[in-house]
Amino acid sequence: MNSKKPNVGVIMGSKSDWEIMKNCCETLKSFGITYDVRVISAHRTPKRLENFIKESEKKKSQVIIAAAGGAAHLAGVTAALTTVPVLGVPIESVLKGIDSLLSTAQMPAGVPVATFAIGKAGAINSALFAIAILANTNPDINRKLKRYRANFEKKVPKKPF
Ligand code: RP5
């Protein structure tokens, strides 16, 4: 595993997903993680997806985050084409993202996709989960993650008024 230059792939089905997925990229950036971000759709640009996965494996990306809305098969198809861990982010849709959530989460046994919350919370948590994976083999990232959690606690007020 390449622990010197940890790299994460971030793909999304449409440019319209960026408003949500920029939160994922900002989180990765705040930990100094390098990432490749692309618009790739399983049904609109399947060749792009295959090439992206080949490139990701070549450069030893440790995690791929895949976001999609509607009949959200992007994360599942990505997971089918690689053994790199795939984190799925369901994007809000005309059905409020319930369709995206179920189509990302309900993978039949054998090809897993770790699935996060719909929308912004999922985008941020997918990045933090990717960071937690990287932290297993990178002490510097591990330190940053522990510091992030400690600061997080400080931000919660003790009283609601
Ligand atoms: C999915 O369809 C995308 O991930 C997006 O969330 C949704 C709508 O895409 P656009 O019609 O906005 O391009 O493939």
Side-chain angles (χ1 to χ4, degrees):
M1 191 172 282
N2 183 353
S3 60
K4 278 195 181 130
K5 266 194 170 182
N7 186 68
V8 172
V10 181
I11 58 179
M12 61 206 78
S14 169
K15 193 174 185 287
S16 65
D17 299 329
W18 175 242
E19 207 38 46
I20 292 299
M21 289 310 290
K22 70 181 184 196
N23 296 289
C24 168
C25 293
E26 279 162 11
T27 306
L28 292 171
K29 201 171 165 192
S30 70
F31 279 77
I33 311 291
T34 53
Y35 56 87
D36 289 329
V37 58
R38 312 269 178 89
V39 173
I40 296 180
S41 161
H43 58 283
R44 289 174 181 155
T45 65
K47 288 204 178 80
R48 217 186 271 183
L49 178 59
E50 267 186 64
N51 290 336
F52 178 81
I53 288 165
K54 274 185 206 143
E55 276 173 40
S56 300
E57 289 186 343
K58 214 166 165 187
K59 69 167 77 147
K60 303 217 181 310
S61 294
Q62 286 113 316
V63 188
I64 297 175
I65 297 172
H73 40 249
L74 180 61
V77 176
T78 302
L81 292 169
T82 184
T83 53
V84 174
V86 175
L87 315 186
V89 181
I91 299 289
E92 197 161 327
S93 63
V94 286
L95 299 180
K96 302 212 176 296
I98 296 296
D99 45 352
S100 326
L101 174 65
L102 294 179
S103 49
T104 305
Q106 287 295 103
M107 288 294 289
V111 179
V113 169
T115 304
F116 293 83
I118 299 165
K120 185 176 174 185
I124 293 171
N125 280 347
S126 69
L128 290 171
F129 200 87
I131 288 160
I133 293 172
L134 300 175
N136 280 326
T137 51
N138 186 313
D140 185 43
I141 296 174
N142 197 24
R143 257 191 308 275
K144 286 182 186 164
L145 186 55
K146 288 205 157 64
R147 203 184 315 136
Y148 170 89
R149 284 289 185 90
N151 287 336
F152 202 65
E153 190 175 338
K154 282 183 207 152
K155 284 185 203 152
V156 181
K158 293 204 170 129
K159 289 190 176 182
F161 49 86

